[in-house]
Amino acid sequence: MIDNFNLNKDKFRYTLKMSDGEKAVVKVKGVSFGDGNVKFIAGPCAVESREKIFKLAELVKNAGADMLRGGAFKPRTSPYDFQGIGEKGLEYLAEAGKTFGLPTVSEITDKGMLPEFTDIDILQIGAKNMQNFELLKAVGRTDKPVLLKRGFSNTIEELLLSAEYILSEGNQNVILCERGIRTFEKATRNTFDVSAICLLKQISRLPVIADPSHATGKRQLVLPVSLAAAAVGVDGIMTEVHDDPARALCDGEQAITPSEFKELTIKAKEIAKAIR
Ligand code: PEP
Ligand code: MN
């Protein structure tokens, strides 16, 4: 058992801290996750059009973003909801990122899609695919950084074991993401598990980021929950940002505006500095 956390050490080979205590730093172009500073990933839930992603890329860049996010393939609960604009979305995201000097991240839902993600800098494995083991093994055979989100009904041990699938195939560049878990609570979309971040930071070598947008589902909670994550030493914060949240094609109720995002980056950096 690792201390008293109920985790069986024998199950892990790569993701736990080694005896030297050294942490992994995941570098994405010029952005390093796990270097002791908090990094910001921002952008819409989904890439909606070329024009929109260019506009948002510029806005989030000016507000302090280090990376640009945007889903092109959206795994939605309902088949009748907006599913993303697909391959074109990846193309527009990569173009916008290059134009404004922001590395990009987008969700991959199937291993057959890997060739389409050539120009995307981080492969995101979404909560619903955290235990898609064939996908984990396939991204593990690439050298591209992976953002692995915790499934909404998965334990910390299961999250780390999914990361083991990737690392054991050769790819050591994995960033973990706490994005809320499902509980009995209905007032928020999920329940943000801040202790998971503390625990992961204590036992794992991998950088850990927070996604307060999916964790809460409520735009007025995104700032305070981000600050809570910064206060426990999170390595990055990924937020959904939209210039017109009421008209967003996906997850508008949890999107903050670029000016709210700017306030978030400033305050989160201050908190990260205060606890250093
Ligand atoms: C997302 O980040 O766009 C997303 C779908 O998140 P999750 O997989 O955490 O629900
Ligand atoms: Mn979303």
Side-chain angles (χ1 to χ4, degrees):
M1 296 293 167
I2 304 171
D3 300 323
N4 56 352
F5 290 139
N6 242 349
L7 288 162
N8 186 346
K9 209 169 187 162
D10 297 340
K11 288 185 178 174
F12 301 93
R13 292 188 189 167
Y14 295 93
T15 57
L16 300 183
K17 267 189 197 158
M18 307 293 165
S19 47
D20 59 7
E22 188 142 333
K23 306 279 269 180
V25 176
V26 176
K27 292 199 181 91
V28 190
K29 291 192 169 153
V31 185
S32 298
F33 290 85
D35 70 355
N37 298 301
V38 56
K39 300 290 149 63
F40 300 93
I41 306 175
C45 178
V47 179
E48 299 176 358
S49 66
R50 187 175 185 280
E51 191 192 12
K52 188 60 116 185
I53 194 66
F54 269 72
K55 182 176 189 188
L56 287 169
E58 183 169 23
L59 288 167
V60 300
K61 171 82 184 186
N62 292 335
D66 298 293
M67 283 193 60
L68 180 65
R69 64 151 285 145
F73 298 93
K74 298 299 305 175
R76 305 302 299 279
T77 302
S78 164
Y80 312 117
D81 286 341
F82 176 61
Q83 303 283 311
I85 62 172
E87 205 168 342
K88 280 273 166 227
L90 296 178
E91 206 180 288
Y92 301 153
L93 180 73
E95 246 188 282
K98 279 194 189 105
T99 303
F100 296 101
L102 294 167
T104 53
V105 55
S106 197
E107 179 169 355
I108 182 164
T109 55
D110 187 273
K111 64 178 179 171
M113 288 175 180
L114 272 169
E116 296 169 32
F117 279 71
T118 307
D119 293 328
I120 301 298
D121 301 300
I122 298 189
L123 303 170
Q124 178 172 319
I125 308 270
K128 298 176 186 82
N129 272 309
M130 191 204 86
Q131 289 189 314
N132 180 339
F133 300 116
E134 291 307 314
L135 181 59
L136 297 174
K137 285 190 260 182
V139 301
R141 290 191 285 267
T142 74
D143 56 6
K144 209 159 257 214
V146 177
L147 174 52
L148 178 64
K149 298 188 97 178
R150 180 182 181 183
F152 49 71
S153 50
N154 287 112
T155 62
I156 292 167
E157 178 173 273
E158 287 164 345
L159 171 63
L160 286 171
L161 288 171
S162 287
E164 289 277 338
Y165 265 92
I166 303 170
L167 274 78
S168 62
E169 291 289 339
N171 188 346
Q172 305 300 302
N173 296 310
V174 174
I175 302 165
L176 304 172
C177 179
E178 164 57 37
R179 47 77 72 208
I181 51 174
R182 184 165 284 184
T183 67
F184 51 81
E185 184 53 67
K186 288 190 172 151
T188 50
R189 183 173 178 180
N190 290 287
T191 295
F192 182 61
D193 186 1
V194 74
S195 63
I197 297 174
C198 311
L199 201 160
L200 287 165
K201 294 278 298 174
Q202 283 180 26
I203 66 171
S204 164
R205 304 167 52 235
L206 302 175
V208 184
I209 72 164
D211 172 350
S213 306
H214 293 89
T216 65
K218 301 279 184 291
R219 85 168 55 91
Q220 68 271 33
L221 298 179
V222 170
L223 172 67
V225 166
S226 297
L227 301 186
V232 296
V234 84
D235 297 300
I237 297 171
M238 178 161 81
T239 48
E240 290 186 342
V241 176
H242 202 283
D243 62 320
D244 189 1
R247 286 203 189 78
L249 296 182
C250 183
D251 283 351
E253 61 292 344
Q254 65 190 36
I256 56 172
T257 62
S259 63
E260 288 166 335
F261 172 64
K262 185 171 184 180
E263 180 188 353
L264 186 158
T265 62
I266 294 167
K267 291 188 171 165
K269 277 190 227 167
E270 278 172 19
I271 290 184
K273 196 170 153 200
I275 62 147
R276 210 168 286 144

